[in-house]
Amino acid sequence: MTSSRLPTSARPSAPPSGRYARVVLQALAAVVAGFVAMGVVAGLGLWAAGAADLPGGFTAVLAAVVVMASGGKVELSGDAGALAGTQAELTAMPLTVTLVGALVTGFCFLRPLRHHAVTGTRELLLRAASVVVLWLAALAGVSALARHDFPLILGGDAQDPLTDLFGELLDAVNPTVGFRTDVGPTLFYGLLWILGVLAVALLVSRGTPLPPRLVRYHGPVRPAAFAMLLLLLAYVVVGLVIGIVVAATRGHAAETLAVLLLGLPNVAWLALGVGIGGSWQGKAEGPFGLPMPQILDAVLRGDGDSPDLSTVDLSSLAAQDARAWWLLPVAAVLVLAAAFVAAVRSPARITLWQHALHLGVAFALTMLVAAPVTLVEARFGLSVLGIGDLESLGGEVVLRPDVWKTAGFGLLWGLAFGFLGGLLAFRVHRKGEVDQDT
């Protein structure tokens, strides 16, 4: 008796409509998981920062943080009537929220592909397009929630008659400060964000099959890309450990937790850039500042009188605290570890100079992406009846990376440590062919 079961290759495939529906549902799951993960992390961070006490605006603030984490643009505005002028601006990415959303979305995007022996170009484009369209639709919906106005309370201070006068005047006109999502730029940068997430996910995953035309890039690209992701995550983990220790031993636990949940990579990746020789320019004036680390806020404030931007680099940080010099050996150890991982994951046919070149290019590109997203620009100013200027009752925080300088050092470090990592991995058993390594 012969079996009625057909071999796998002979079984009828699912109809196109069913296959498309499955792809869309999997894309929807990736998008929902990404937004939920970002919402949970952002909500916990805002709760730790005390935003739960905001008058009726917690949901709107939460939506705004998620929009900013996705690359969107949120505009601040103020209204103090005819008596006063206001100015407000905020440009920053809460990178903890961004990182969690990217990791979850990328993982969910790749998971259905891991069971495939090969991935066709058409299927890959269909899956990517489904995620992109659904992501932008969800981002537009969240953007609609990210709008709110808060009453501006300027309390009088017995030690400052001028502030007391302003407070009485402003109470009469019910001033407000609010925020809105700029939908056009938000969707544009959100598109770039989700395309970048999907591209990086494909670059770093060794187990996800590529279309036949892209298989030749597996050996030179994927090991170095994975090593760079590992390096960025290692810095986040180190920063997390330090933050937990600080919260447990030095007080201000809620404030530290808020920074960890909202902006940990902002500080960790700045430490990476500074450790390899890069720099940032910035300043901090008025009551606003960076909550942690205090050494960075001290450098940004400078002497308090100079209008020039302060340079944040290894020497300026070490002038405030000599322990900042540890950023250099920490960078050396972690970059060497990343180079070793890249070399071990590469096929045996890759030569030492190719290891160096691959890691140098990968590290430079990594810093070209990681440094700009640490940008912070925050300003708020108020003037009443022309008394003083918009900065007299406000403040400003600016932190801008020297992108090309930092990327240049990334190239040099990648070339040097890529060569050293290849030497260390020389005697480690590696597979010789790309198709055996996948």
Side-chain angles (χ1 to χ4, degrees):
M1 180 183 295
T2 60
S3 173
S4 61
R5 296 181 61 185
L6 295 175
T8 302
S9 59
R11 293 177 190 170
S13 59
S17 59
R19 190 163 64 248
Y20 294 157
R22 183 173 66 253
V23 168
V24 171
L25 286 176
Q26 291 169 344
L28 179 62
V31 171
V32 171
F35 271 98
V36 169
M38 289 195 295
V40 169
V41 174
L44 291 174
L46 291 172
W47 170 78
D53 298 329
L54 291 173
F58 181 80
T59 301
V61 173
L62 175 60
V65 171
V66 172
V67 167
M68 294 169 65
S70 303
K73 182 175 179 59
V74 175
E75 295 183 339
L76 302 183
S77 62
D79 182 12
L83 294 177
T86 59
Q87 179 184 19
E89 179 183 349
L90 176 61
T91 302
M93 286 187 73
L95 287 181
T96 304
V97 183
T98 300
L99 180 61
V100 170
L103 292 175
V104 172
T105 304
F107 173 81
C108 293
F109 170 69
L110 294 177
R111 184 171 179 80
L113 296 174
R114 297 181 68 88
H115 303 294
H116 293 204
V118 65
T119 301
T121 303
R122 181 177 299 180
E123 179 184 3
L124 188 61
L125 290 176
L126 174 63
R127 289 181 178 277
S130 300
V131 172
V132 168
V133 171
L134 292 172
W135 185 272
L136 293 180
L139 183 59
V142 175
S143 298
L145 299 175
R147 52 189 303 121
H148 196 73
D149 293 311
F150 297 99
L152 179 62
I153 300 175
L154 184 62
D157 186 351
Q159 304 297 324
D160 190 346
L162 185 60
T163 301
D164 185 64
L165 172 62
F166 287 167
E168 293 179 0
L169 289 172
L170 290 174
D171 284 342
V173 296
N174 298 319
T176 61
V177 61
F179 57 88
R180 303 286 187 275
T181 300
D182 194 343
V183 179
T186 292
L187 293 181
F188 174 73
Y189 289 114
L191 172 62
L192 297 181
W193 188 92
I194 188 61
L195 288 176
V197 168
L198 299 183
V200 171
L202 287 171
L203 286 175
V204 303
S205 175
R206 182 170 59 172
T208 301
L210 293 173
R213 293 181 180 179
L214 299 179
V215 168
R216 58 181 176 177
Y217 299 109
H218 176 101
V221 175
R222 276 184 160 176
F226 175 79
M228 290 299 99
L229 176 62
L230 199 64
L231 177 63
L232 294 178
L233 293 179
Y235 263 86
V236 171
V237 171
V238 171
L240 178 62
V241 172
I242 294 174
I244 293 175
V245 172
V246 169
T249 60
R250 299 188 181 181
H252 305 288
E255 182 180 89
T256 303
L257 182 61
V259 173
L260 296 180
L261 289 169
L262 296 175
L264 174 57
N266 299 67
V267 179
W269 296 346
L270 183 146
L272 168 60
V274 169
I276 65 173
S279 61
W280 274 250
Q281 303 291 326
K283 64 178 179 179
E285 297 177 345
F288 305 118
L290 298 176
M292 70 171 291
Q294 294 181 353
I295 179 178
L296 177 58
D297 190 67
V299 172
L300 292 179
R301 293 192 181 276
D303 59 13
D305 297 325
S306 175
D308 298 330
L309 297 178
S310 300
T311 298
V312 179
D313 57 15
L314 200 55
S315 61
S316 64
L317 291 173
Q320 297 289 333
D321 190 335
R323 290 175 296 180
W325 287 114
W326 279 102
L327 293 176
L328 179 59
V330 168
V333 170
L334 293 181
V335 173
L336 181 59
F340 176 77
V341 170
V344 169
R345 291 171 67 94
S346 298
R349 58 182 172 80
I350 302 295
T351 62
L352 285 178
W353 73 265
Q354 288 176 316
H355 282 304
L357 181 60
H358 295 166
L359 200 75
V361 172
F363 201 3
L365 292 175
T366 298
M367 297 315 298
L368 280 176
V369 174
V373 296
T374 63
L375 171 72
V376 176
E377 291 187 355
R379 297 181 181 88
F380 179 75
L382 175 69
S383 66
V384 179
L385 295 175
I387 303 175
D389 56 27
L390 288 173
E391 296 180 357
S392 60
L393 289 177
E396 180 179 20
V397 178
V398 176
L399 185 62
R400 303 189 188 108
D402 295 324
V403 177
W404 292 108
K405 176 183 177 181
T406 306
F409 275 105
L411 175 62
L412 296 177
W413 275 61
L415 291 172
F417 283 88
F419 187 85
L420 292 176
L423 284 176
L424 292 176
F426 183 73
R427 295 186 179 278
V428 177
H429 175 71
R430 286 174 287 160
K431 297 182 179 179
E433 299 296 333
V434 174
D435 58 351
Q436 292 176 337
D437 199 41
T438 55

